Amino acid sequence: MQDSQVGEVEAGLGLTALNDALDARLAQADALLLRDYPGNDGRRQPVHTVYLPADRVGAGVVGQWGEQALASLEEFAPDHAALAAATGLSEQAVAENLPRVVDKLRREPIEDLRVDLEDGYGSRPDAEEDGHVLGAADALCAAREAGEAPPYFGIRMKGMEAAGRRRGTRSLVLFTQTVLERSGGIPDGFTLTLPKITSVQQVEAMVWVVEEVEKRLGLAEGVLTFELQIETPQSILGPDGSAAVALMLRSGQGRISALHYGTYDYSAACGVTAAFQSMAHPVADHAKAVMQLAAAGTGVWLSDGSTNVVPVGGPDQVHAAWRLHAQLVRRSLERAYYQGWDLHPHQLPTRYLATYAFYREAFAPAAARLRDYLGVVGGGVMDEPATAQALASALVRGLNCGALGDDEVTAATGVGRSTLESFANRRVG
């Protein structure tokens, strides 16, 4: 059929009017899709969050964690073979990645630090907690002025339960005000974490609180965002059988930046005995699968939880804890949980070693497939746009954390970081 004939058919059937009516019919659905599923915004997601009780956050704490991590390597795994045997990784993977890990521990040992005022800190007199909040804010602002602060930092205050909400709000305001005064504004990467959520109403209340804090401190609307810590069954499944976490995301009005799984509170609330509480327990996998579905396409980050088996004691205890931690980090990465919690400096070597090994393994095949997709050379695998986007995302994540270098990625893909980032963050669909 010729173009002129096609035009006559379209005119005769009134296709233009039909399509105009179709666009009008779906206009609201289109708008809601863009609002609720905006996709990634291009921010660098940290590979971990370090939770540190407020009374332990002082001057030089970030560098001290890096020094302790390096010292643990010297003491418990002085060479490649010893570290491979201790962690369960291959000697080749350790040899390839250890120099990068050592550099990371010297340069940026913590990517995200959360001043803990909740479970890891406990309940203390107001004056004592006030002092620790102000001291932690001062220490982190000083580190930022010296260029030594992690890219992300903030507080985990007490949640919206009746017993702790007044104290939680007080700490939120004190910390935010101190950072604002010391920094002259709210820095990029400033983060608040809301724990122990048991209802959508608590999330709505948190939105209201940060709105009010913005007004009282003269901040721009929307500058304060927060994470949800998913550690209660009520935050996964509502009493009517709905996926409560999805409703919580919707009620966050665009202020929710991440969902963090709380390993031990959640497992205990589900009746799992202490000996079997783990990031790898079936109840954890179920909760995280629901979180993953709720967050897909929203731009909200996901973070796995922690293991409380920390690498301390003699060599056997440290090696066993390292091996477990490396396995759990790898397991999370394979399941598309690109962030987790660390509780002790000695966990940093295996956090970065397992993470770097994961991205180094993914590098060559992902780069080759993406190069084929971008048409630089012909290839034997025909990837769809969503898969190609995932390939670019893996490379960008590897670049961001230090597992990959810009030059090698550009050489392997034929494009630079900015192109990869725009490709990784574009909307597909």
Side-chain angles (χ1 to χ4, degrees):
M1 185 178 290
Q2 301 297 319
D3 289 344
S4 59
Q5 293 175 304
V6 171
E8 291 174 6
V9 170
E10 288 181 347
L13 293 175
L15 287 181
T16 299
L18 177 64
N19 282 320
D20 287 346
L22 181 61
D23 286 341
R25 185 184 185 91
L26 292 175
Q28 184 178 9
D30 291 341
L32 291 175
L33 181 66
L34 289 173
R35 184 197 71 183
D36 295 335
Y37 299 97
N40 296 327
D41 62 5
R43 294 175 300 149
R44 166 194 173 185
Q45 182 177 7
V47 302
H48 70 164
T49 300
V50 166
Y51 277 81
L52 194 58
D55 55 335
R56 300 183 195 171
V57 180
V61 65
V62 175
Q64 291 165 14
W65 268 57
E67 291 168 4
Q68 291 177 54
L70 288 167
S72 72
L73 284 173
E74 276 189 36
E75 181 176 0
F76 298 109
D79 55 45
H80 295 155
L83 186 56
T87 60
L89 277 71
S90 70
E91 286 194 40
Q92 179 180 351
V94 172
E96 180 181 8
N97 290 290
L98 185 55
R100 293 181 176 87
V101 171
V102 170
D103 175 69
K104 180 74 169 181
L105 293 174
R106 289 173 176 158
R107 177 176 48 84
E108 189 183 65
I110 297 176
E111 292 194 356
D112 183 22
L113 189 151
R114 203 68 69 251
V115 178
D116 190 13
L117 296 158
E118 211 242 344
D119 281 350
Y121 179 77
S123 179
R124 311 196 187 192
D126 279 341
E128 184 177 354
E129 182 163 334
D130 288 349
H132 290 147
V133 169
L134 296 174
D138 281 334
L140 289 170
C141 287
R144 186 171 177 272
E145 292 162 7
E148 299 170 355
Y152 296 90
F153 70 86
I155 62 168
R156 176 173 72 166
M157 63 279 192
K158 292 173 176 63
M160 289 292 168
E161 296 171 301
R165 71 170 69 112
R166 286 176 175 264
R167 180 63 253 186
T169 302
R170 181 185 179 100
S171 293
L172 185 163
V173 172
L174 286 175
F175 189 84
T176 304
Q177 185 174 24
T178 304
V179 171
L180 174 63
E181 291 173 352
R182 283 288 304 265
S183 303
I186 297 299
D188 291 340
F190 182 85
T191 308
L192 306 169
T193 304
L194 179 66
K196 300 286 193 300
I197 307 161
T198 54
S199 70
V200 173
Q201 288 76 15
Q202 290 180 345
V203 177
E204 294 170 343
M206 182 66 175
V207 171
W208 178 80
V209 166
V210 296
E211 287 175 346
E212 290 298 312
V213 172
E214 287 172 349
K215 293 173 186 176
R216 285 163 167 74
L217 296 181
L219 298 171
E221 183 180 353
V223 72
L224 295 180
T225 60
F226 57 93
E227 305 167 333
L228 302 183
Q229 191 164 4
I230 305 302
E231 52 185 337
T232 69
Q234 295 91 339
S235 57
I236 291 294
L237 190 69
D240 60 353
S242 62
V245 66
L247 300 176
M248 290 173 182
L249 285 177
R250 177 71 61 84
S251 69
Q253 299 181 27
R255 290 183 181 267
I256 296 173
S257 58
L259 301 177
H260 285 235
Y261 177 67
T263 305
Y264 297 98
D265 281 339
Y266 189 89
S267 298
C270 289
V272 180
T273 59
F276 297 99
Q277 292 173 5
S278 165
M279 295 156 61
H281 193 280
V283 301
D285 285 339
H286 171 262
K288 289 182 285 188
V290 176
M291 292 164 60
Q292 196 166 43
L293 284 171
T298 66
V300 172
W301 292 337
L302 296 170
S303 176
D304 211 332
S306 63
T307 174
N308 59 8
V309 181
V310 294
V312 296
D316 289 344
Q317 289 86 356
V318 171
H319 291 177
W322 270 350
R323 181 178 290 258
L324 174 64
H325 189 238
Q327 290 171 346
L328 290 171
V329 171
R330 175 71 185 217
R331 186 180 192 274
S332 297
L333 291 168
E334 289 177 353
R335 286 156 179 76
Y337 268 73
Y338 300 112
Q339 186 176 349
W341 296 5
D342 289 324
L343 307 177
H344 193 278
H346 293 180
Q347 290 179 321
L348 298 186
T350 38
R351 169 65 62 184
Y352 291 119
L353 190 60
T355 299
Y356 284 15
F358 176 81
Y359 287 117
R360 295 299 305 181
E361 288 175 28
F363 169 44
R369 286 174 64 180
L370 189 60
R371 188 181 183 96
D372 292 346
Y373 179 84
L374 295 173
V376 179
V377 296
V381 178
M382 298 180 65
D383 284 312
E384 296 183 356
T387 300
Q389 182 182 35
L391 296 170
S393 296
L395 297 177
V396 170
R397 289 181 183 278
L399 285 165
N400 285 342
C401 71
L404 306 177
D406 284 277
D407 291 344
E408 63 178 343
V409 172
T410 298
T413 61
V415 296
R417 184 194 282 240
S418 61
T419 300
L420 288 173
E421 288 174 341
S422 63
F423 198 80
N425 296 318
R426 70 174 184 167
R427 288 180 60 89
V428 175

